[in-house]
């Protein structure tokens, strides 16, 4: 399957093909819901999406792997990654031996992705090295632009649009933001273990919630009523962002719509699961069942096949 995808995308050369295969393996191993959704794209689109995921995962692993590296060591490693990408993408010179960079640079050139999208992403990754709390929504939004919205903007040229790209861009950015906010709600426990809180402090404080209460909830594996009230509000905000993102799906190329529809459906259903467990996010992880994933994917596969068949791409 992977070889047919690489052939369809015009990826040539043993080393470059191996690089894309590496990114695909990262996506399959760590981004199960996202990887399932990418199966609904045309074969020629998939390698580029895997490359973008692979690079994001590469940077995320520098920050979030549980090991004994110091903050300074992680900062140095992230800077090396940024320098190597800049050298390749902007200066057109080889720097280091990293198959993930081989693939993502090839994708960036094929789809004319600007350096600033990667630079903004890396800037937000650097914030994770030193910032553990966000005082208000504006501060969190600045972080999420680089960490989530630019991912949607990077994906947009790969997906294609039937309207001017700048018209679809706000909706693509909103989808990346909605996905990340969903993760923040689901992963409060895990993030707190890393010392981070990704919810605006002032909005939590309006419900009587601070870091001390969050730590109490974590120790006792239960959600205090004040926190539940705050999470209900955050949940509703995230739903609003999904609604804005969904308006952009008809703006995409028809053969990309089933993939994004499936991804939006599955990720937004994590919010349903959080609600169903009554926001007990410290005692249970909200997930979408494999059966449900397959139901959504199967429906999307049929729609994807029909869209490609109408254009003679099957």
């Amino acid at each position: 399957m992977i070889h047919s995808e690489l052939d369809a995308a015009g990826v040539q050369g043993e080393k470059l093909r191996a690089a894309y295969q590496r990114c695909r393996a990262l996506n399959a191993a760590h981004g199960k819901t996202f990887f399932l959704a990418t199966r609904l794209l045309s074969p020629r689109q998939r390698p580029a999406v895997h490359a973008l995921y692979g690079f994001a995962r590469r940077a995320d692993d520098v920050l979030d792997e549980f090991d004994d590296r110091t903050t300074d060591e992680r900062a140095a490693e992230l800077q090396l990654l940024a320098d190597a990408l800049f050298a390749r993408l902007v200066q057109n010179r080889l720097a280091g031996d990293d198959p993930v960079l081989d693939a993502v640079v090839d994708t960036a050139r094929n789809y004319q992705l600007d350096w600033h999208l990667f630079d903004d992403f890396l800037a937000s990754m650097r914030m994770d090295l030193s910032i553990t709390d966000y005082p208000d929504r504006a501060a969190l939004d600045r972080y999420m632009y680089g960490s989530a919205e630019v991912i949607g903007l990077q994906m947009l040229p790969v997906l294609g649009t039937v309207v001017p790209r700048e018209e679809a861009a706000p909706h693509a950015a909103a989808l990346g933001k909605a996905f990340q906010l969903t993760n923040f709600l689901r992963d409060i426990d895990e993030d707190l273990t890393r010392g981070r809180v990704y919810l605006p402090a002032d909005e939590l404080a309006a419900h009587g919630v601070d870091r001390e209460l969050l730590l109490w909830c974590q120790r006792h594996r239960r959600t205090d009523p004040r926190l539940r009230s705050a999470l209900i509000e955050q949940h509703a905000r995230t739903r609003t962002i999904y609604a804005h993102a969904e308006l952009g799906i008809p703006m995409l190329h028809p053969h990309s719509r089933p993939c994004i529809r499936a991804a939006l459906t599955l990720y937004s259903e994590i919010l349903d699961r959080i609600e169903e467990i009554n926001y007990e996010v410290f005692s249970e992880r909200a997930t979408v069942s494999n059966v449900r994933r397959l139901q959504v994917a199967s429906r999307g596969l049929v729609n994807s096949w029909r869209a490609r068949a109408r254009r003679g791409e099957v």
Side-chain angles (χ1 to χ4, degrees), residues 236-267:
R237 284 178 176 269
T238 306
R239 287 286 190 203
T240 300
I241 297 170
Y242 271 110
H244 181 61
E246 190 171 12
L247 296 175
I249 294 179
M251 301 178 185
L252 300 176
H253 192 286
H255 63 207
S256 296
R257 293 171 194 167
C259 167
I260 302 307
R261 173 68 65 185
L264 185 149
T265 297
L266 290 173
Y267 251 90

Side-chain angles (χ1 to χ4, degrees), residues 25-280:
L26 286 171
N27 195 346
H30 300 287
K32 291 181 173 59
T33 297
F34 186 63
F35 180 78
L36 184 63
T38 64
R39 308 303 303 152
L40 307 181
L41 293 172
S42 66
R44 67 176 178 81
Q45 292 173 296
R46 295 171 198 162
V49 175
H50 296 324
L52 292 171
Y53 179 92
F55 178 74
R57 182 73 199 187
R58 176 80 170 74
D60 193 58
D61 283 347
V62 173
L63 300 169
D64 284 342
E65 281 190 346
F66 287 106
D67 54 37
D68 58 1
R69 285 175 298 170
T70 67
T71 298
D72 287 344
E73 288 170 336
R74 293 176 191 270
E77 189 175 342
L78 191 62
Q79 189 59 50
L80 284 174
L81 181 65
D83 291 344
L85 180 63
F86 182 81
R88 291 171 180 237
L89 189 56
V90 179
Q91 299 176 328
N92 199 27
R93 63 181 179 84
L94 187 63
D97 183 17
D98 188 331
V100 171
L101 291 184
D102 291 342
V104 78
V105 168
D106 184 66
T107 291
R109 288 175 177 160
N110 289 339
Y111 288 96
Q112 299 180 319
L113 301 179
D114 289 336
W115 158 252
H116 75 81
L117 292 175
F118 295 97
D119 193 34
D120 289 339
F121 169 75
L122 290 164
S124 285
M125 295 303 97
R126 291 187 191 96
M127 291 171 68
D128 271 331
L129 292 168
S130 58
I131 297 176
T132 58
D133 299 87
Y134 293 86
D136 51 35
R137 179 67 53 175
L140 184 62
D141 281 345
R142 284 193 293 273
Y143 169 78
M144 285 194 296
Y145 173 76
S147 63
E149 293 185 33
V150 298
I151 304 298
L153 298 176
Q154 288 173 347
M155 286 277 292
L156 199 53
V158 180
L159 298 173
T161 61
V162 294
V163 299
R165 193 178 299 168
E166 58 271 20
E167 185 177 340
H171 303 284
L175 188 60
K177 186 176 185 178
F179 287 172
Q180 188 166 61
L181 286 170
T182 301
N183 286 340
F184 291 163
L185 290 169
R186 181 193 62 192
D187 298 336
I188 292 174
D189 184 20
E190 182 178 328
D191 291 333
L192 196 59
T193 299
R194 293 189 171 99
R196 302 175 192 152
V197 178
Y198 288 110
L199 299 174
D202 61 341
E203 294 175 17
L204 294 179
H207 296 268
V209 178
D210 56 15
R211 180 178 281 264
E212 183 178 349
L213 181 62
L214 290 173
L215 289 169
W216 183 93
C217 292
Q218 185 180 53
R219 286 195 303 272
H220 292 84
R221 316 309 297 173
R222 55 179 288 196
T223 298
D224 181 271
R226 290 166 291 179
L227 177 58
R228 181 174 290 106
S229 176
L231 293 181
I232 289 171
E233 180 182 75
Q234 297 299 317
H235 189 281
R237 284 178 176 269
T238 306
R239 287 286 190 203
T240 300
I241 297 170
Y242 271 110
H244 181 61
E246 190 171 12
L247 296 175
I249 294 179
M251 301 178 185
L252 300 176
H253 192 286
H255 63 207
S256 296
R257 293 171 194 167
C259 167
I260 302 307
R261 173 68 65 185
L264 185 149
T265 297
L266 290 173
Y267 251 90
S268 65
E269 286 186 7
I270 294 174
L271 294 181
D272 296 340
R273 303 290 88 78
I274 292 173
E275 192 171 18
E276 287 170 4
I277 64 174
N278 198 25
Y279 301 90
E280 291 293 342

